[in-house]
Amino acid sequence: MPNRDELPSVDVLIIGSGSAALCAGISALENGAHVLMVEKADALEWGGNSRYTAGAMRFAFYSYEDLKPLIRDLTDDRLANTDFGSYPKEQFLADLQYFNQGEPPTETQQFLVDESLSVMQWLSSHNIRFDPSYARQSFLKAGRHTFWGGLALDVEGEGDGLVRAERAEFERLGGTILYNCSAEEIVMQAGDMQGVRCLRSGIPIWIPCRTVVLGCGGFEASQELRTQFLGDAWANAKVRGTRHNTGKGLELATKLGAALRGNFGGCHAVPMDKNMPDYGNIDLPHNERKHYRKISYLYGLMLNALGERFVDEGLDMRNYTYAQFGKAIIEQPGNVAWQLFDASVEPYLYADYRFRFTSVVEADTLSDLIGKLDGIDQATALRTVDAYNRATEISDHIPFDPTRKDGKRTAGLFPEKTNWANPLVTPPFKAYPVTCGITFTYGGLAVNRNGEVLTAADEPIPGLFACGELVGGVFFHGYPGGSGLTSGAVFGRYAGKSAAQYSHQKPSSLNS
C-alpha cells in the first residue's frame, strides 16, 4: 500500500484540465496509457481558459463535404441554403503568417495547419459535436447564409460544452482528475522522470509517473509576469479567463532546462467592456462571461480619451484584427476607448452588445452622445466624428457588405477607414466604453511536433511534454480567431500520444 502522501504510479501525469490537457489525456488513454490529471482549481473552476471561449475552431477545409461528417444536426433546413465557401491549408497558413511581421511560417504553425482538419475528425470520433456558426460567422446575402472569415463551425455548447464533453470522454476511457491539486515540482534523476510533488488541498503528496504533460496555460493571470514581459500598462488589463494561469508550467519546465520560444511581448487581447470584472465575472455561468467582449468595432468608430481615432477599424474582418486592437486600446491614455455606432448597423452588432451587464450611453444626436461621455475630450471627439462623416462621402456609391472587405472607405483621414465606412447619421447613436481584456500569452516553451519539450540545444527533455498555451512559436503579433482551441487540440493530441508511447518504452523503475 502506498504511503498516505504517495499515490500509485501512473504512465502519464497531465497538469491542467483545459481542452489541450483533456485532448492529451484522451490521446494517451487511447494509446494504452494509465493517465492521471491534476488541476489546481476546484471542481467549479476547472477547465482553464477553454471554458470561457465561444467554441469556434479554425481548421482547413475544401468544401461542405469536409464539414458534413462533423455537423451535429444534418436535418437543419438552413444547410441547403448555406454557402460555407472553402478554407484551404494555404489560406490558413497565410493567415497565421500575416501576423509574423514578415517572418516565414514556423514549424509549429505548419504542423497546426496540416493537422487541423484531422484533429476535428479525431474530436468527432470522441463524441465532440459541432454546429455551423450561423450567429457569429454568417450573414444573409442574396437570400443565402453566407459564411465569412474562414470559420465555419463551433463546438456544441461553446467552450464550456467542449471541455465537459472532453472530460466525459476522458473519464469514460478510464482517466481520473484530482481537483485542488497544484503541481509544485517535477522531479528527475539522472535524466529519468521520477514524479511530481503536488499540494492537494494544502497537503503535500507525491505522484510517481513515467511522463508529464504540461497543459496548464500561460501567464496572463499573473500581474507580475504581465508587466515583466508585456510592459507596465498591462498591469491594468482585465483578465478574461481563468485566474489560475499564472505561469507555473513555464516555471516547472525551465527548472528542468526547457528553452523558451516565441514572442513573450505578445498576447491575445480583446476589446472588453470597461466595467467588466476580472475573470469575466466568476458569478456568471462560463458561457455568459465572454459577453463582456465588444468586437463589432469594424462597423463604427473607436475614439480614445483625446477624442481621436487610433486604428483603422475597417482594416480587415473582425477575426483578423480583434486580438491586435485590444492591445491598441491598452496603449491609449487611461487604457480606455469608446466605440460609437449609429442605428443603421445595429443588426450587425454581436449579441454581446445587448448583454444585460453592457455599459452603454445612448442619445438622439451625436453632440448629445459625446456630451455624455466621461473622461473624453468632447470637443475633439465631435470634430473627429464630423470629419469622419464628411470623409465617407467618397464611397457613398459603394454598397455596404458585411460578408467581405467591401472597399467602402474614407479619404483624407489618418488613419483612414478602409472598409465598412458608413457615416454615423441614423439615430439613436450609441457609445460603449471599452478597455483591454487579456486572453492568453503568446510566448511559451520550445516544443516539437511530437509535443516534446526541448532544451536550448533542441534536445527533448526525457519524459516531458507540453500542449496548449504553453507551446511557443504558434502566434506572434496577432491571431486569426478560432486558432487557439485548434492548436490546443492538435498539440494536445500529439503530446498525449507521444507521452503514452514513451511511457511504454521506459523501463518500470519508478521510485519515490
Side-chain angles (χ1 to χ4, degrees):
M1 293 291 292
N3 298 329
R4 185 177 63 178
D5 63 348
E6 179 176 335
L7 272 62
S9 64
V10 295
D11 297 325
V12 180
L13 179 66
I14 298 173
I15 300 173
S17 68
S19 178
L22 288 162
C23 285
I26 293 168
S27 181
L29 288 163
E30 72 178 1
N31 281 278
H34 178 204
V35 183
L36 176 66
M37 183 175 291
V38 295
E39 167 55 54
K40 178 168 61 173
D42 60 21
L44 294 177
E45 290 192 58
W46 69 281
N49 275 345
S50 306
R51 288 185 76 185
Y52 290 77
T53 71
M57 297 188 71
R58 182 176 294 269
F59 60 97
F61 65 93
Y62 293 88
S63 71
Y64 173 60
E65 294 305 310
D66 288 332
L67 304 179
K68 189 175 179 180
L70 305 175
I71 294 175
R72 177 176 60 91
D73 181 11
L74 292 175
T75 68
D76 190 330
D77 292 339
R78 292 174 294 183
L79 291 173
N81 195 39
T82 297
D83 294 326
F84 287 103
S86 64
Y87 191 62
K89 289 182 179 180
E90 295 79 10
Q91 185 60 55
F92 191 176
L93 191 63
D95 286 344
L96 289 168
Q97 189 179 0
Y98 175 79
F99 298 105
N100 286 9
Q101 293 192 349
E103 295 297 318
T106 64
E107 181 182 5
T108 50
Q109 289 176 328
Q110 184 69 62
F111 188 61
L112 166 59
V113 170
D114 289 343
E115 294 296 321
S116 61
L117 177 58
S118 174
V119 84
M120 295 293 286
Q121 295 164 339
W122 176 77
L123 286 170
S124 182
S125 75
H126 283 288
N127 301 309
I128 311 302
R129 301 291 176 251
F130 303 93
D131 296 309
S133 186
Y134 284 112
R136 288 189 293 270
Q137 295 297 142
S138 75
F139 293 106
L140 278 173
K141 183 177 181 180
R144 293 183 64 80
H145 298 278
T146 303
F147 275 73
W148 56 273
L151 279 171
L153 302 183
D154 294 337
V155 181
E156 180 187 11
E158 303 185 343
D160 189 49
L162 172 65
V163 293
R164 288 183 184 277
E166 289 172 336
R167 183 178 67 172
E169 183 72 354
F170 174 71
E171 292 175 340
R172 184 187 71 81
L173 293 172
T176 301
I177 305 177
L178 298 182
Y179 300 102
N180 295 303
C181 189
S182 62
E184 300 299 318
E185 182 185 12
I186 300 173
V187 179
M188 299 186 70
Q189 292 180 0
D192 190 35
M193 182 68 69
Q194 298 296 301
V196 179
R197 301 190 192 281
C198 299
L199 285 176
R200 188 180 187 191
S201 300
I203 299 173
I205 62 170
W206 167 250
I207 307 176
C209 60
R210 298 186 176 193
T211 62
V212 170
V213 179
L214 296 168
C216 46
F219 59 85
E220 65 278 352
S222 167
Q223 186 180 69
E224 178 184 356
L225 293 180
R226 290 202 310 270
T227 55
Q228 176 183 339
F229 289 112
L230 300 173
D232 290 343
W234 291 90
N236 300 321
K238 300 286 189 178
V239 179
R240 297 184 64 206
T242 177
R243 61 193 174 108
H244 298 290
N245 284 3
T246 56
K248 190 65 176 183
L250 294 172
E251 175 190 328
L252 293 172
T254 53
K255 283 183 178 179
L256 299 178
L260 302 180
R261 179 173 292 170
N263 178 18
F264 274 78
C267 64
H268 181 288
V270 179
M272 304 293 289
D273 192 306
K274 176 180 179 292
N275 299 310
M276 73 166 275
D278 263 349
Y279 323 117
N281 189 349
I282 60 175
D283 293 328
L284 293 176
H286 280 80
N287 282 354
E288 287 193 49
R289 299 179 194 183
K290 67 181 179 299
H291 292 311
Y292 285 102
R293 67 186 177 181
K294 297 292 175 281
I295 54 177
S296 294
Y297 49 79
L298 61 166
Y299 304 130
L301 296 183
M302 281 204 291
L303 307 182
N304 61 19
L306 303 177
E308 299 171 341
R309 293 175 57 243
F310 54 95
V311 295
D312 173 3
E313 301 92 344
L315 178 66
D316 209 326
M317 306 297 285
R318 185 271 307 169
N319 292 339
Y320 303 110
T321 58
Y322 72 95
Q324 299 174 78
F325 288 177
K327 180 178 184 290
I329 290 170
I330 207 166
E331 295 169 348
Q332 303 309 303
N335 317 123
V336 297
W338 286 262
Q339 296 179 358
L340 276 61
F341 305 95
D342 76 355
S344 70
V345 297
E346 181 74 26
Y348 304 104
L349 304 185
Y350 273 19
D352 305 327
Y353 288 82
R354 295 174 288 279
F355 179 46
R356 55 188 165 135
F357 295 118
T358 294
S359 304
V360 60
V361 176
E362 182 175 342
D364 288 330
T365 69
L366 286 169
S367 60
D368 286 348
L369 180 77
I370 292 171
K372 294 180 178 181
L373 304 184
D374 294 330
I376 196 171
D377 183 327
Q378 296 178 359
T380 301
L382 196 56
R383 288 195 296 270
T384 298
V385 176
D386 181 62
Y388 167 78
N389 279 344
R390 287 184 279 108
T392 65
E393 294 174 359
I394 192 173
S395 58
D396 282 347
H397 63 289
I398 299 176
F400 170 70
D401 187 346
T403 68
R404 63 181 182 87
K405 291 193 284 186
D406 61 6
K408 192 173 179 62
R409 60 177 298 127
T410 60
L413 300 181
F414 182 80
E416 299 286 5
K417 186 174 183 185
T418 51
N419 294 284
W420 310 293
N422 293 315
L424 276 63
V425 294
T426 307
F429 304 95
K430 294 182 180 180
Y432 300 82
V434 294
T435 188
C436 172
I438 186 169
T439 313
F440 65 89
T441 44
Y442 291 159
L445 301 172
V447 175
N448 63 20
R449 62 175 54 203
N450 294 323
E452 297 172 295
V453 177
L454 307 175
T455 67
D458 279 342
E459 294 293 330
I461 296 175
L464 186 63
F465 304 83
C467 56
E469 295 171 17
L470 277 168
V471 179
V474 180
F475 310 119
F476 289 89
H477 301 281
Y479 169 90
S483 303
L485 285 179
T486 310
S487 177
V490 167
F491 285 95
R493 178 188 184 186
Y494 279 88
K497 177 181 179 180
S498 299
Q501 292 174 341
Y502 183 94
S503 71
H504 298 329
Q505 297 167 2
K506 180 182 175 184
S508 182
S509 58
L510 299 175
N511 58 72
S512 58

